Amino acid sequence: MKLSLIGHNHKYQIESLIKIFFPTVRFSDHDQSGTEKDWVITRKKQGKHHIYLLAIACLNGKKQAAHFVMAQDVSEQEARLQLCAALYLALSRLLNRQLPWGMMTGIRPVKTVHQLMEQGNSPEQVRKILKTKYFVSDEKIDLCLKTFSVQQRCFVMECQPKVFSLYISIPFCPTRCSYCSFVSQAIATKASIELMREYVKNLIAELAVTGEIVKNLGLKLESVYFGGGTPTALSAELLEELFVCIQKHFDLSQLSEYTVEAGRPDTITLEKLQVLKKYRVSRISINPQSFNDEVLRNVGRKHTAQDVIDCYQMARKLGISCINMDLIAGLPLESLESFQHSIDQAIALQPENITVHTLTIKRSSDFYAAGEKPNRNSLVAEMVSYAGNHLRQAGYMPYYLYRQKNMIDNLENVGYSKPGFESPYNVYIMEENQTILAVGAGAVTKLVDETGISRIFNYKYPYEYNNGFSEMIRRKQQVVNFYEK
Ligand code: SF4
């Protein structure tokens, strides 16, 4: 698509907006003499008393335009927003299509609600802003406002600089799912088992150094979260070594959450669950993704729907107090009826948390490379609506949500919870209002205070992490510098 920007430099925002309509589009500069049928022109013109903002879009020879006139003294940010609005209107008229999230491209819509409320707006004013400025649908505004009110009720949303969560990255999985875009290593070979042992040894050292820093700075640990990957891809012995290390180096007395994403049922054994229980893990994930075996096979998951149910019942018998189940809307071969069955089945099991994801097609997934076709858009929107309605009827409320690039139909991921079982970590990581100290490959520490966020990046891949381990330890010093500045 040919793209022309005149009188402004909002290339990133204009391109991001076009991508919500055309996720795989590629851009080139506009050439008036070219024969390209698809093009967009956006223009900001400074007049004597006003600013003129114009967008024209042309697809297959058909054109639509929209424009706004604003006062001279509006901020650059407001002018940019209005230019994007003109483009959104031109594109949606041309395609005869309204998007559920309108022109919102950010991944944290509830954070926008927080900011608008902090500026003194009432919920009704926020509703009006989201509807008229961003063109968000009533359904998604309701979702945002409900999520916001659950967060207000359940969590301290103001930044508390001395309170933190600990994230431990376990980037290993038994096999790789075809839609996966995470840095996660399949562990089928002997070499990868060796890599994993070495990795845990280094992780223990990084945890010890982090624990020492935390102690010296007098920080208070609120939640521990093992993510990945699939943490239960580790053996029971390696898991126990990590739990012992955490117990030794951190004060767990004020913990409100201890989560291990068990995730794949093909990694869960009674022995591992017993270890989790012994070290007081309070929340685990057992993720069906779908309760349709054909869908699971097709995406490379080596377990059945019945395996999920068996693991769930095993964890329940052991008394794990909070269980989350992830489902994905839009997987190939999933019909509306089979997705509805998955939601109904999850509700029937009564886990405390159910998280509904929308399939995202990332370039780093096998799925993208194989040119797999996801479900058609409107069907996925119907799946997501069904999930929201039925979960709410069953007593689950949305408590965090986020969006990613390349989600089908520009939809969202939503964490639902029975009252009183909301995961603090999921809220803090999304709303970015608490420090997260992160260890392991691919982990990103986020240091949060009133002035903003500083990040420390660990090496991405397990072999890089093992090889560059001393550098990882050196970077931890930045935590001390942050608190002592
Ligand atoms: S279980 Fe999760 S992290 Fe592992 S391969 Fe599948 S999608 Fe990726």
Side-chain angles (χ1 to χ4, degrees), residues 71-326:
Q72 275 278 16
D73 56 352
V74 294
S75 68
E76 189 59 29
Q77 196 191 359
E78 276 181 88
R80 186 181 67 209
L81 196 68
Q82 218 52 24
L83 186 61
C84 288
L87 178 57
Y88 177 82
L89 289 175
L91 286 170
S92 63
R93 284 175 193 155
L94 202 51
L95 296 164
N96 195 19
R97 200 171 150 220
Q98 303 289 327
L99 297 176
W101 287 98
M103 61 176 238
M104 277 191 112
T105 52
I107 64 169
R108 297 180 171 86
V110 183
K111 203 170 176 180
T112 306
V113 173
H114 277 284
Q115 284 161 353
L116 290 168
M117 293 285 198
E118 265 172 27
Q119 288 162 15
N121 292 293
S122 67
E124 271 325 297
Q125 286 166 320
V126 171
R127 177 179 290 279
K128 196 169 165 203
I129 293 168
L130 294 180
K131 202 174 167 86
T132 56
K133 275 197 166 177
Y134 293 93
F135 312 106
V136 182
S137 70
D138 286 328
E139 185 189 358
K140 299 306 171 196
I141 296 174
D142 285 343
L143 177 65
C144 268
L145 291 174
K146 275 197 187 96
T147 307
F148 173 81
S149 74
V150 173
Q151 291 184 355
Q152 291 297 306
R153 200 180 62 238
C154 302
F155 301 103
V156 180
M157 296 306 286
E158 292 77 40
C159 171
Q160 303 174 84
K162 287 250 161 177
V163 182
F164 77 104
S165 290
L166 177 66
Y167 177 81
I168 300 116
S169 166
I170 309 291
F172 300 101
C173 284
T175 54
R176 196 169 161 83
C177 308
S178 59
Y179 54 85
C180 182
S181 59
F182 295 111
V183 179
S184 185
Q185 179 132 358
I187 50 163
T189 64
K190 208 176 157 205
S192 54
I193 290 171
E194 272 312 306
L195 176 77
M196 206 153 61
R197 281 213 187 95
E198 175 77 5
Y199 181 79
V200 170
K201 196 181 95 205
N202 287 327
L203 203 51
I204 285 173
E206 191 183 0
L207 279 164
V209 169
T210 308
E212 199 53 36
I213 290 172
V214 164
K215 218 175 283 168
N216 292 339
L217 292 171
L219 306 185
K220 179 187 147 197
L221 179 56
E222 178 169 3
S223 70
V224 176
Y225 197 102
F226 275 75
T230 306
T232 42
L234 298 180
S235 64
E237 292 74 28
L238 289 180
L239 281 170
E240 183 152 21
E241 281 179 36
L242 285 168
F243 294 143
V244 168
C245 169
I246 289 169
Q247 206 173 48
K248 181 172 166 197
H249 294 284
F250 293 88
D251 175 4
L252 304 180
S253 62
Q254 297 186 65
L255 218 53
S256 51
E257 171 187 14
Y258 199 148
T259 286
V260 174
E261 283 184 353
R264 298 255 300 244
D266 44 340
T267 63
I268 300 174
T269 63
L270 179 62
E271 194 190 2
K272 289 181 199 178
L273 288 179
Q274 282 166 336
V275 172
L276 265 53
K277 184 75 188 149
K278 179 174 166 192
Y279 290 91
R280 302 215 214 137
V281 169
S282 57
R283 180 176 180 272
I284 65 169
S285 290
I286 301 173
N287 297 332
Q289 312 298 21
S290 165
F291 278 95
N292 179 333
D293 288 342
E294 196 193 358
V295 172
L296 292 173
R297 241 189 333 270
N298 186 53
V299 295
R301 309 260 304 186
K302 302 273 185 262
H303 64 83
T304 63
Q306 188 57 47
D307 293 334
V308 173
I309 297 169
D310 294 345
C311 281
Y312 178 80
Q313 281 163 354
M314 191 156 64
R316 274 284 175 250
K317 267 192 203 144
L318 274 176
I320 303 272
S321 57
C322 184
I323 300 179
N324 171 66
M325 287 191 159
D326 280 3

